[in-house]
Amino acid sequence: MKLATYNANSVRARLPLLCDWLRRERPDLLLVQETKVRDEAFPVRDFEDQGYQVVSRGQKAYNGVALISRRPCRRILRDLFSEGDTEARFLSASFDDIPVINVYVPQGFQVGSEKFQDKLKFLETLLAHVTDRYRPEKPLIVAGDLNVALEPVDVFDPEGLEGEVGFHAEERAVLRRFMDWGLHDVFRKHHPEGGHFTFWDYRVPNAVKRRMGWRVDYILATEPLSRRCSNAWIDVAARMLPKPSDHTFLVAEFDLGDSG
Amino acid sequence: MKLATYNANSVRARLPLLCDWLRRERPDLLLVQETKVRDEAFPVRDFEDQGYQVVSRGQKAYNGVALISRRPCRRILRDLFSEGDTEARFLSASFDDIPVINVYVPQGFQVGSEKFQDKLKFLETLLAHVTDRYRPEKPLIVAGDLNVALEPVDVFDPEGLEGEVGFHAEERAVLRRFMDWGLHDVFRKHHPEGGHFTFWDYRVPNAVKRRMGWRVDYILATEPLSRRCSNAWIDVAARMLPKPSDHTFLVAEFDLGDSG
DNA sequence: GAGCTCGATG
DNA sequence: CATCGAGCTC
């Protein structure tokens, strides 16, 4: 099974790039974040034309997540919070009985701000959701834009960025607890060396060439799946195409035998 | 000499279409209206790369006219009104001693409105400019988006549109006086039958296929040039391309012998 | 329907 | 740098 995650920064603005990429890579499942579109306006047809189905949890202008898959899904869940989500940042479903959670974690604005607290709250709630409902011995995938770089090798300037939003001890500690519970970072498993990024700020000139990026997008898997992850890679070239998102694709392949 | 006029509805938005068209048609001179860009931001390079020179009279966001030519021009004039123009709607220059006036006449909003009066004032001032400075026995071209359909055959529904802005007796009367003075509509000369249009409103679904257009773009020439006009045509296909302007190209060819 | 500006967000 | 509205024009 080939799974990818992509913060599109508008699924409509990224439609040509996305369609080209799907045509070439043909993943079984693509998790998209920052679709920035209401469900009624999601360009479903463009994906259906390529043999994909779309489940979307969107809102106007901001956030929005979607599951784009070749096979149907079950057990769709659109809300992380028991009160119902005010922002479209969470979407989970099962594909061939493998539960997949797609998240777009709040960026957090500034350390100490109310938005930063919301970010921590979101991560804590997601962690509780995972630990309450799943077991590390069973298959589970949690993936998307977590908006946190876990280790110093996951940012281009760990000293300079230490304590900044996205690389602050408090966020990293919460993310660490996902790992401690039993979620494995499948990209890290295949690339322990670091210096690989999935996001480069538009505002930094030539950020990709200058390797001024962050690794904030993840595919996390419990042990039975992580064990079967045969490959994981970041499509840096897709960040160099015309009209790119500020993120790029993270891909993982799982050897699931006949069942997947 | 091959001359074309085109209301681009943003020269920047139309850059791919324009460049493709120039590569294919290679006119000696292209008159553009609604460039919608300040002179400093005009994409001059894209035209220079194809062997064209650009003279532009632009403003921010609205209006804007330009002369795009393979040969240099002389006697550039950027203002129609003696007080200096507040809107970028007029640009004239001489090419091989043939004076060419490029205009974007105000659309006029609604009959009876102040903008409609401005439109009539613009047309009257242009007529005075022409009759004061030129003679019908000498070469002169006046072309561009005149925003007036002269005759019933120049709109898709003459009965329904009678009296509407763009097809009102008062505007048509002023335009008629250009003809009476000695300017000839070179497209009409080759296509007396009517039913040919240069503009189709974006808001009318399938307007081109349904032939729901207007002929409001013109190439007018004095007798010594009109006599030599060997061909004139409207490139309807260019209105059917992806991301078209709401207008399309009007082209005329003149047999000028060695001198042009 | 499709350009434009502007102020917002990241 | 590149999204998004809103409000404007044609």
Side-chain angles (χ1 to χ4, degrees), chain A residues 1-257:
Chain A
M1 195 226 7
K2 184 170 179 176
L3 180 148
T5 178
Y6 184 53
N7 179 318
N9 187 18
S10 169
V11 72
R12 286 176 295 186
R14 226 58 63 208
L15 210 44
L17 195 157
L18 263 169
C19 288
D20 288 353
W21 194 86
L22 283 177
R23 193 171 299 115
R24 202 171 56 251
E25 294 295 337
R26 302 298 296 169
D28 299 285
L29 179 56
L30 173 64
L31 283 55
V32 186
Q33 304 87 38
E34 282 209 85
T35 55
K36 290 188 172 178
V37 67
R38 286 168 296 117
D39 293 337
E40 313 84 75
F42 198 104
V44 171
R45 282 286 302 276
D46 299 78
F47 296 99
E48 286 177 347
D49 289 350
Q50 297 215 31
Y52 283 89
Q53 302 174 237
V54 173
V55 179
S56 125
R57 168 57 154 115
Q59 67 178 80
K60 181 202 268 199
Y62 300 111
N63 313 314
V65 282
L67 296 163
I68 297 175
S69 64
R70 304 174 71 171
R71 311 252 263 130
C73 67
R74 294 166 51 217
R75 296 172 53 99
I76 298 167
L77 194 64
R78 316 182 98 87
D79 292 275
L80 169 63
F81 296 89
S82 47
E83 319 89 80
D85 296 3
T86 54
E87 297 190 314
R89 296 180 173 277
F90 175 96
L91 183 60
S92 76
S94 290
F95 296 85
D96 300 319
D97 281 324
I98 299 173
V100 175
I101 296 174
N102 179 13
V103 278
Y104 172 50
V105 174
Q107 190 266 345
F109 183 49
Q110 273 188 10
V111 174
S113 70
E114 196 170 312
K115 284 179 178 173
F116 188 73
Q117 288 310 311
D118 294 344
K119 178 180 192 172
L120 294 174
K121 172 83 179 299
F122 186 97
L123 284 164
E124 291 281 5
T125 307
L126 179 63
L127 180 60
H129 176 90
V130 167
T131 59
D132 286 356
R133 294 168 176 247
Y134 301 95
R135 294 181 49 197
E137 304 82 19
K138 295 280 189 180
L140 170 67
I141 285 170
V142 178
D145 178 0
L146 304 189
N147 259 319
V148 179
L150 185 61
E151 298 178 40
V153 291
D154 296 324
V155 293
F156 67 94
D157 178 13
E159 288 80 17
L161 296 170
E162 177 63 51
E164 291 295 304
V165 67
F167 192 57
H168 184 274
E170 233 175 319
E171 313 167 57
R172 292 159 65 193
V174 189
L175 191 49
R176 175 64 61 199
R177 285 158 58 204
F178 284 80
M179 315 302 187
D180 295 342
W181 175 78
L183 280 165
H184 297 80
D185 176 350
V186 304
F187 181 82
R188 173 61 12 98
K189 169 185 160 180
H190 290 281
H191 306 275
E193 71 281 9
H196 296 106
F197 309 122
T198 60
F199 163 79
W200 298 262
D201 197 314
Y202 284 131
R203 292 166 292 184
V204 178
N206 295 101
V208 183
K209 280 183 186 166
R210 294 158 69 198
R211 302 180 192 281
M212 295 177 69
W214 302 60
R215 193 169 73 96
V216 292
D217 301 275
Y218 297 85
I219 296 170
L220 307 180
T222 48
E223 198 276 335
L225 282 175
S226 172
R227 202 177 66 211
R228 288 184 156 85
C229 179
S230 54
N231 191 18
W233 54 284
I234 295 164
D235 187 355
V236 181
R239 179 62 175 77
M240 314 267 284
L241 294 172
K243 296 229 125 217
S245 169
D246 43 2
H247 294 247
T248 197
F249 298 87
L250 168 64
V251 190
E253 284 171 81
F254 299 87
D255 287 333
L256 301 183

Side-chain angles (χ1 to χ4, degrees), chain B residues 143-162:
Chain B
D145 178 0
L146 304 189
N147 259 319
V148 179
L150 185 61
E151 297 178 40
V153 291
D154 296 324
V155 294
F156 67 95
D157 178 14
E159 288 80 17
L161 296 170
E162 178 64 50

Side-chain angles (χ1 to χ4, degrees), chain B residues 19-37:
Chain B
C19 289
D20 289 353
W21 195 86
L22 284 177
R23 192 171 299 114
R24 202 171 55 251
E25 295 294 338
R26 302 299 295 168
D28 299 284
L29 178 56
L30 173 64
L31 283 53
V32 187
Q33 304 86 40
E34 282 208 84
T35 55
K36 289 187 172 179
V37 67

Side-chain angles (χ1 to χ4, degrees), chain B residues 233-247:
Chain B
W233 54 282
I234 295 164
D235 187 354
V236 181
R239 179 61 175 79
M240 316 265 284
L241 294 172
K243 297 229 124 220
S245 168
D246 43 1
H247 294 245

